[in-house]
Amino acid sequence: THRRGNSSEFIPKCRTCRRQVREQSGEGDHHDGLSSDEELTPTEVDEFQKSKDNVLEDSRKIFEDVHADFCDIRKILLKFQEWKEKFPDSYCDAYISFCVPKLLNPLIRVQLISWNPLEQNFTELEEMPWFRAIEEFSDAENVSESK
C-alpha cells in the first residue's frame, strides 16, 4: 500500500518543482501567490472571447422585432405615468408598483449583459440610462403620492 505523506511536506516540494520548471522554460510572467491552475491559456482566452462576442451579438437581436415603445424603459415608464395621471383609480387597482420590476427585468438584464464592474472603465449603475429613468419614475411616483 502507498502511504500518503504529510500534506504540508508535499506542497513545498510541488511548488519547488513548478518553480524549477518555470525557470528552466523561461516563463517569467508568474507571480507568487497566484495559482497557475487559474491562468488561462491563449486558446482558452480566444474561446472565451468568441463565446462572449456571440452572446453579445445574440443579445442585440433579442428585441429587434419589438416596437420601440415596448423595449425602451423610459418610454414604458412614461406610458405608466400617463396612465396614472389619466386614470388614477385604475392605476392604483392594478398594483403597478409590484408589476414594474418584473416587467423591466428582461430589458435591464439585456443591458447588463456586457457590464463588468471589474473593468477599469466601467459605467456605474447609477449612471446607466435605465437606472436614471427608473429613478425619475420613482421620484414622480413619490411626488404624486404626497399630493
Side-chain angles (χ1 to χ4, degrees), residues 84-103:
K84 184 175 184 173
E85 291 168 5
K86 292 180 182 176
F87 309 102
D89 293 336
S90 168
Y91 181 89
C92 185
D93 291 342
Y95 296 99
I96 296 305
S97 61
F98 294 116
C99 300
V100 169
K102 291 179 183 175
L103 178 73

Side-chain angles (χ1 to χ4, degrees), residues 66-72 75-76 79:
V66 177
H67 191 277
D69 288 348
F70 302 106
C71 63
D72 183 304
K75 290 179 181 178
I76 292 170
K79 297 263 188 216

Side-chain angles (χ1 to χ4, degrees), residues 27-138:
E27 289 183 32
D29 61 347
H30 178 75
H31 301 284
D32 285 335
L34 293 179
S35 172
S36 58
D37 295 340
E38 296 172 3
E39 296 172 9
L40 298 175
T41 65
T43 304
E44 291 172 326
V45 171
D46 288 343
E47 288 176 9
F48 173 76
Q49 190 60 44
K50 286 177 187 175
S51 176
K52 181 181 171 184
D53 291 343
N54 288 339
V55 168
L56 292 175
E57 182 62 32
D58 289 346
S59 73
R60 289 184 199 99
K61 297 175 185 176
I62 291 175
F63 294 110
E64 70 182 7
D65 62 342
V66 177
H67 191 277
D69 288 348
F70 302 106
C71 63
D72 183 304
I73 292 173
R74 190 172 300 279
K75 290 179 181 178
I76 292 170
L77 294 175
L78 183 60
K79 297 263 188 216
F80 280 116
Q81 191 62 36
E82 290 172 1
W83 179 14
K84 184 175 184 173
E85 291 168 5
K86 292 180 182 176
F87 309 102
D89 293 336
S90 168
Y91 181 89
C92 185
D93 291 342
Y95 296 99
I96 296 305
S97 61
F98 294 116
C99 300
V100 169
K102 291 179 183 175
L103 178 73
L104 299 181
N105 184 358
L107 298 166
I108 293 169
R109 290 174 66 116
V110 165
Q111 292 183 31
L112 289 177
I113 287 176
S114 63
W115 184 68
N116 183 354
L118 301 177
E119 290 178 353
Q120 287 183 344
N121 298 323
F122 77 97
T123 304
E124 296 283 344
L125 284 176
E126 295 83 9
E127 301 298 319
M128 293 185 164
W130 62 265
F131 188 93
R132 290 186 173 173
I134 293 171
E135 196 171 45
E136 291 168 11
F137 178 75
S138 297

